[in-house]
Amino acid sequence: AVMAQVQRKGGDDPVSTTAASASAAAAAAAAAASFSKSDQAAYAYYAGRYYILSGEYFLARERLMVALALAPRNFGNKRRILNYLMLLNILCFRFPTQTLRQRYDIDDGTLWGEVIGVVKSGNVLGYQQWVGRHEEFLARRGLYVLALEGQSRVMYRLFARTFMLMREGEKQNYLYLKHLLVALQLATSG
């Protein structure tokens, strides 16, 4: 009776909340166990794609990692998942190694290797040109919207590098807008 009064007043009982979430997690695990690994991988893959379109990149990466782990040994499936993970990780500044790209035959050394260099350097013009050159590839795989949104991440990288360069000499914790404008003009001029 006391519990019912507390819940009616809007209070949360941490024990019942934890028990409810634990039982929900157990029910989800039991439900997932009733599906084959390939079905679970397909669900995680499409959930990851959904999260990409929703702009929830952390959740997208998490679901795509689950899909990669559950995917059958078929390289085609893993390659499809890795194409999404590659761009997500690059835009989160986690750069995949050449070995990983060669292991799954994802890259001939130009596509992802080129964008990794561009993003690392904060080269906004180079990124725009990369997206333009590979527009068809990105559109066919459903990565074009993500690639367009990635331009802001490249600008962030450029501004972070500018901040570090300006901070070296004076040990300041601020950056003037004129410095950012100059950096952006240099990064976008051909």
mmCIF file of all heavy atoms in Angstrom, residues 3 9 17 31 40-41 50 53-55 61 67 71 76 84 89-90 100 109 112 125 131 136 138-139 156-157 186 189:
data_model
loop_
_atom_site.group_PDB
_atom_site.id
_atom_site.type_symbol
_atom_site.label_atom_id
_atom_site.label_comp_id
_atom_site.label_asym_id
_atom_site.label_seq_id
_atom_site.Cartn_x
_atom_site.Cartn_y
_atom_site.Cartn_z
ATOM 1 N N MET A 3 3.908 1.460 -1.235
ATOM 2 C CA MET A 3 4.511 1.534 -2.573
ATOM 3 C C MET A 3 3.554 2.193 -3.552
ATOM 4 O O MET A 3 3.942 3.000 -4.371
ATOM 5 C CB MET A 3 4.823 0.144 -3.103
ATOM 6 C CG MET A 3 6.182 -0.408 -2.900
ATOM 7 S SD MET A 3 7.497 0.624 -3.299
ATOM 8 C CE MET A 3 8.223 -0.432 -4.450
ATOM 9 N N LYS A 9 2.296 9.376 -6.143
ATOM 10 C CA LYS A 9 2.826 10.720 -5.923
ATOM 11 C C LYS A 9 3.926 11.054 -6.919
ATOM 12 O O LYS A 9 4.421 12.156 -6.941
ATOM 13 C CB LYS A 9 3.366 10.849 -4.503
ATOM 14 C CG LYS A 9 2.299 10.825 -3.454
ATOM 15 C CD LYS A 9 2.908 10.982 -2.083
ATOM 16 C CE LYS A 9 1.840 10.921 -1.012
ATOM 17 N NZ LYS A 9 2.413 11.024 0.320
ATOM 18 N N THR A 17 12.285 -0.252 -10.065
ATOM 19 C CA THR A 17 12.731 0.212 -11.378
ATOM 20 C C THR A 17 13.849 -0.675 -11.901
ATOM 21 O O THR A 17 13.841 -1.081 -13.060
ATOM 22 C CB THR A 17 13.220 1.677 -11.298
ATOM 23 O OG1 THR A 17 12.181 2.468 -10.761
ATOM 24 C CG2 THR A 17 13.620 2.191 -12.655
ATOM 25 N N ALA A 31 13.746 -13.352 -26.048
ATOM 26 C CA ALA A 31 13.115 -13.178 -27.358
ATOM 27 C C ALA A 31 14.157 -13.229 -28.467
ATOM 28 O O ALA A 31 13.924 -13.816 -29.524
ATOM 29 C CB ALA A 31 12.353 -11.868 -27.406
ATOM 30 N N GLN A 40 19.003 -11.935 -36.335
ATOM 31 C CA GLN A 40 19.430 -10.920 -35.375
ATOM 32 C C GLN A 40 20.383 -9.930 -36.036
ATOM 33 O O GLN A 40 20.300 -8.726 -35.796
ATOM 34 C CB GLN A 40 20.116 -11.575 -34.177
ATOM 35 C CG GLN A 40 19.197 -12.382 -33.296
ATOM 36 C CD GLN A 40 19.961 -13.069 -32.182
ATOM 37 O OE1 GLN A 40 20.939 -12.531 -31.669
ATOM 38 N NE2 GLN A 40 19.519 -14.254 -31.804
ATOM 39 N N ALA A 41 21.272 -10.444 -36.892
ATOM 40 C CA ALA A 41 22.219 -9.576 -37.600
ATOM 41 C C ALA A 41 21.473 -8.648 -38.546
ATOM 42 O O ALA A 41 21.788 -7.450 -38.629
ATOM 43 C CB ALA A 41 23.238 -10.411 -38.370
ATOM 44 N N TYR A 50 18.650 2.798 -39.555
ATOM 45 C CA TYR A 50 17.606 3.705 -39.061
ATOM 46 C C TYR A 50 18.220 4.789 -38.177
ATOM 47 O O TYR A 50 17.895 5.962 -38.303
ATOM 48 C CB TYR A 50 16.545 2.916 -38.284
ATOM 49 C CG TYR A 50 15.594 3.817 -37.539
ATOM 50 C CD1 TYR A 50 14.569 4.477 -38.210
ATOM 51 C CD2 TYR A 50 15.745 4.037 -36.173
ATOM 52 C CE1 TYR A 50 13.710 5.324 -37.529
ATOM 53 C CE2 TYR A 50 14.892 4.872 -35.486
ATOM 54 C CZ TYR A 50 13.869 5.524 -36.169
ATOM 55 O OH TYR A 50 13.043 6.372 -35.496
ATOM 56 N N LEU A 53 19.960 7.489 -40.149
ATOM 57 C CA LEU A 53 19.022 8.453 -40.723
ATOM 58 C C LEU A 53 18.410 9.358 -39.660
ATOM 59 O O LEU A 53 18.020 10.485 -39.946
ATOM 60 C CB LEU A 53 17.925 7.727 -41.499
ATOM 61 C CG LEU A 53 18.408 6.979 -42.742
ATOM 62 C CD1 LEU A 53 17.276 6.183 -43.360
ATOM 63 C CD2 LEU A 53 18.997 7.954 -43.751
ATOM 64 N N SER A 54 18.330 8.857 -38.416
ATOM 65 C CA SER A 54 17.800 9.662 -37.317
ATOM 66 C C SER A 54 18.849 10.586 -36.721
ATOM 67 O O SER A 54 18.523 11.392 -35.854
ATOM 68 C CB SER A 54 17.266 8.743 -36.208
ATOM 69 O OG SER A 54 16.224 7.955 -36.696
ATOM 70 N N GLY A 55 20.091 10.434 -37.157
ATOM 71 C CA GLY A 55 21.163 11.276 -36.630
ATOM 72 C C GLY A 55 21.709 10.815 -35.298
ATOM 73 O O GLY A 55 22.434 11.542 -34.626
ATOM 74 N N ARG A 61 26.288 3.151 -34.540
ATOM 75 C CA ARG A 61 27.558 2.435 -34.474
ATOM 76 C C ARG A 61 27.427 1.186 -33.606
ATOM 77 O O ARG A 61 27.904 0.109 -33.961
ATOM 78 C CB ARG A 61 28.644 3.358 -33.929
ATOM 79 C CG ARG A 61 30.006 2.712 -33.888
ATOM 80 C CD ARG A 61 31.059 3.694 -33.367
ATOM 81 N NE ARG A 61 32.342 3.056 -33.349
ATOM 82 C CZ ARG A 61 32.761 2.255 -32.363
ATOM 83 N NH1 ARG A 61 31.994 2.021 -31.330
ATOM 84 N NH2 ARG A 61 33.953 1.701 -32.416
ATOM 85 N N ALA A 67 25.635 -6.137 -35.475
ATOM 86 C CA ALA A 67 25.359 -6.799 -36.750
ATOM 87 C C ALA A 67 26.623 -7.433 -37.317
ATOM 88 O O ALA A 67 26.582 -8.549 -37.839
ATOM 89 C CB ALA A 67 24.773 -5.798 -37.741
ATOM 90 N N ALA A 71 26.942 -11.354 -38.001
ATOM 91 C CA ALA A 71 26.802 -11.651 -39.429
ATOM 92 C C ALA A 71 27.476 -12.966 -39.776
ATOM 93 O O ALA A 71 28.533 -13.299 -39.231
ATOM 94 C CB ALA A 71 27.404 -10.528 -40.262
ATOM 95 N N GLY A 76 30.298 -10.650 -48.220
ATOM 96 C CA GLY A 76 29.402 -9.633 -48.773
ATOM 97 C C GLY A 76 28.608 -8.928 -47.691
ATOM 98 O O GLY A 76 28.470 -7.711 -47.702
ATOM 99 N N TYR A 84 29.152 1.101 -43.788
ATOM 100 C CA TYR A 84 28.510 2.054 -42.876
ATOM 101 C C TYR A 84 29.424 2.367 -41.693
ATOM 102 O O TYR A 84 29.582 3.523 -41.303
ATOM 103 C CB TYR A 84 27.179 1.502 -42.363
ATOM 104 C CG TYR A 84 26.099 1.564 -43.391
ATOM 105 C CD1 TYR A 84 25.812 0.469 -44.187
ATOM 106 C CD2 TYR A 84 25.366 2.727 -43.579
ATOM 107 C CE1 TYR A 84 24.817 0.518 -45.140
ATOM 108 C CE2 TYR A 84 24.371 2.787 -44.536
ATOM 109 C CZ TYR A 84 24.102 1.687 -45.313
ATOM 110 O OH TYR A 84 23.125 1.753 -46.262
ATOM 111 N N ASN A 89 32.797 5.687 -38.271
ATOM 112 C CA ASN A 89 34.013 5.780 -37.466
ATOM 113 C C ASN A 89 34.919 6.905 -37.928
ATOM 114 O O ASN A 89 35.515 7.606 -37.103
ATOM 115 C CB ASN A 89 34.760 4.448 -37.472
ATOM 116 C CG ASN A 89 34.118 3.437 -36.573
ATOM 117 O OD1 ASN A 89 33.482 3.779 -35.590
ATOM 118 N ND2 ASN A 89 34.267 2.175 -36.895
ATOM 119 N N ILE A 90 35.036 7.091 -39.224
ATOM 120 C CA ILE A 90 35.876 8.177 -39.733
ATOM 121 C C ILE A 90 35.337 9.523 -39.265
ATOM 122 O O ILE A 90 36.090 10.384 -38.828
ATOM 123 C CB ILE A 90 35.977 8.109 -41.271
ATOM 124 C CG1 ILE A 90 36.827 6.917 -41.694
ATOM 125 C CG2 ILE A 90 36.548 9.397 -41.839
ATOM 126 C CD1 ILE A 90 36.761 6.595 -43.176
ATOM 127 N N LEU A 100 42.645 -3.716 -41.816
ATOM 128 C CA LEU A 100 41.221 -4.036 -41.737
ATOM 129 C C LEU A 100 40.562 -3.852 -43.095
ATOM 130 O O LEU A 100 39.775 -4.694 -43.531
ATOM 131 C CB LEU A 100 40.536 -3.137 -40.710
ATOM 132 C CG LEU A 100 39.016 -3.273 -40.636
ATOM 133 C CD1 LEU A 100 38.638 -4.588 -39.976
ATOM 134 C CD2 LEU A 100 38.409 -2.111 -39.894
ATOM 135 N N GLY A 109 42.514 1.281 -51.684
ATOM 136 C CA GLY A 109 43.508 2.263 -51.268
ATOM 137 C C GLY A 109 43.141 3.693 -51.601
ATOM 138 O O GLY A 109 43.788 4.623 -51.153
ATOM 139 N N TRP A 112 38.524 5.007 -49.102
ATOM 140 C CA TRP A 112 38.564 5.304 -47.667
ATOM 141 C C TRP A 112 39.905 5.889 -47.246
ATOM 142 O O TRP A 112 39.953 6.736 -46.355
ATOM 143 C CB TRP A 112 38.236 4.052 -46.867
ATOM 144 C CG TRP A 112 36.860 3.543 -47.146
ATOM 145 C CD1 TRP A 112 36.543 2.365 -47.738
ATOM 146 C CD2 TRP A 112 35.615 4.196 -46.883
ATOM 147 N NE1 TRP A 112 35.176 2.244 -47.855
ATOM 148 C CE2 TRP A 112 34.580 3.355 -47.334
ATOM 149 C CE3 TRP A 112 35.272 5.420 -46.316
ATOM 150 C CZ2 TRP A 112 33.245 3.684 -47.234
ATOM 151 C CZ3 TRP A 112 33.929 5.746 -46.210
ATOM 152 C CH2 TRP A 112 32.935 4.888 -46.663
ATOM 153 N N LEU A 125 37.636 21.637 -48.244
ATOM 154 C CA LEU A 125 37.516 21.577 -49.701
ATOM 155 C C LEU A 125 37.794 20.163 -50.210
ATOM 156 O O LEU A 125 37.071 19.649 -51.063
ATOM 157 C CB LEU A 125 38.456 22.576 -50.373
ATOM 158 C CG LEU A 125 38.408 22.612 -51.899
ATOM 159 C CD1 LEU A 125 37.026 23.050 -52.376
ATOM 160 C CD2 LEU A 125 39.480 23.548 -52.443
ATOM 161 N N VAL A 131 33.367 13.921 -51.561
ATOM 162 C CA VAL A 131 31.939 13.593 -51.613
ATOM 163 C C VAL A 131 31.432 13.731 -53.049
ATOM 164 O O VAL A 131 30.682 12.878 -53.530
ATOM 165 C CB VAL A 131 31.123 14.486 -50.646
ATOM 166 C CG1 VAL A 131 29.631 14.324 -50.882
ATOM 167 C CG2 VAL A 131 31.466 14.160 -49.202
ATOM 168 N N GLU A 136 27.968 8.899 -56.405
ATOM 169 C CA GLU A 136 27.189 7.743 -56.848
ATOM 170 C C GLU A 136 27.398 6.549 -55.908
ATOM 171 O O GLU A 136 26.441 5.884 -55.508
ATOM 172 C CB GLU A 136 27.578 7.354 -58.275
ATOM 173 C CG GLU A 136 26.731 6.243 -58.845
ATOM 174 C CD GLU A 136 27.129 5.912 -60.270
ATOM 175 O OE1 GLU A 136 27.553 6.811 -61.017
ATOM 176 O OE2 GLU A 136 27.028 4.722 -60.607
ATOM 177 N N LEU A 138 28.326 6.607 -52.758
ATOM 178 C CA LEU A 138 27.713 6.915 -51.468
ATOM 179 C C LEU A 138 26.196 6.820 -51.544
ATOM 180 O O LEU A 138 25.553 6.308 -50.619
ATOM 181 C CB LEU A 138 28.148 8.296 -50.997
ATOM 182 C CG LEU A 138 29.635 8.466 -50.698
ATOM 183 C CD1 LEU A 138 30.001 9.930 -50.545
ATOM 184 C CD2 LEU A 138 30.036 7.669 -49.468
ATOM 185 N N ALA A 139 25.609 7.292 -52.636
ATOM 186 C CA ALA A 139 24.155 7.256 -52.791
ATOM 187 C C ALA A 139 23.651 5.818 -52.919
ATOM 188 O O ALA A 139 22.624 5.459 -52.330
ATOM 189 C CB ALA A 139 23.734 8.076 -54.001
ATOM 190 N N TYR A 156 34.847 20.899 -37.681
ATOM 191 C CA TYR A 156 35.206 20.782 -36.272
ATOM 192 C C TYR A 156 36.681 20.414 -36.132
ATOM 193 O O TYR A 156 37.401 20.987 -35.309
ATOM 194 C CB TYR A 156 34.326 19.732 -35.592
ATOM 195 C CG TYR A 156 34.785 19.356 -34.213
ATOM 196 C CD1 TYR A 156 34.459 20.138 -33.117
ATOM 197 C CD2 TYR A 156 35.572 18.228 -34.003
ATOM 198 C CE1 TYR A 156 34.891 19.809 -31.849
ATOM 199 C CE2 TYR A 156 36.018 17.889 -32.743
ATOM 200 C CZ TYR A 156 35.671 18.674 -31.663
ATOM 201 O OH TYR A 156 36.114 18.345 -30.420
ATOM 202 N N ARG A 157 37.119 19.455 -36.933
ATOM 203 C CA ARG A 157 38.522 19.033 -36.897
ATOM 204 C C ARG A 157 39.443 20.195 -37.276
ATOM 205 O O ARG A 157 40.482 20.403 -36.659
ATOM 206 C CB ARG A 157 38.711 17.843 -37.844
ATOM 207 C CG ARG A 157 40.064 17.228 -37.833
ATOM 208 C CD ARG A 157 40.360 16.563 -36.511
ATOM 209 N NE ARG A 157 41.546 15.756 -36.631
ATOM 210 C CZ ARG A 157 41.757 14.673 -35.951
ATOM 211 N NH1 ARG A 157 40.871 14.261 -35.083
ATOM 212 N NH2 ARG A 157 42.858 13.993 -36.099
ATOM 213 N N LEU A 186 41.153 29.400 -45.896
ATOM 214 C CA LEU A 186 42.274 28.631 -46.433
ATOM 215 C C LEU A 186 41.871 27.190 -46.760
ATOM 216 O O LEU A 186 42.333 26.626 -47.743
ATOM 217 C CB LEU A 186 43.449 28.628 -45.446
ATOM 218 C CG LEU A 186 44.179 29.962 -45.264
ATOM 219 C CD1 LEU A 186 45.181 29.856 -44.117
ATOM 220 C CD2 LEU A 186 44.851 30.374 -46.552
ATOM 221 N N SER A 189 39.552 27.287 -50.070
ATOM 222 C CA SER A 189 40.011 27.916 -51.307
ATOM 223 C C SER A 189 40.784 26.893 -52.124
ATOM 224 O O SER A 189 41.505 26.064 -51.600
ATOM 225 C CB SER A 189 40.877 29.141 -51.015
ATOM 226 O OG SER A 189 42.059 28.749 -50.332
#
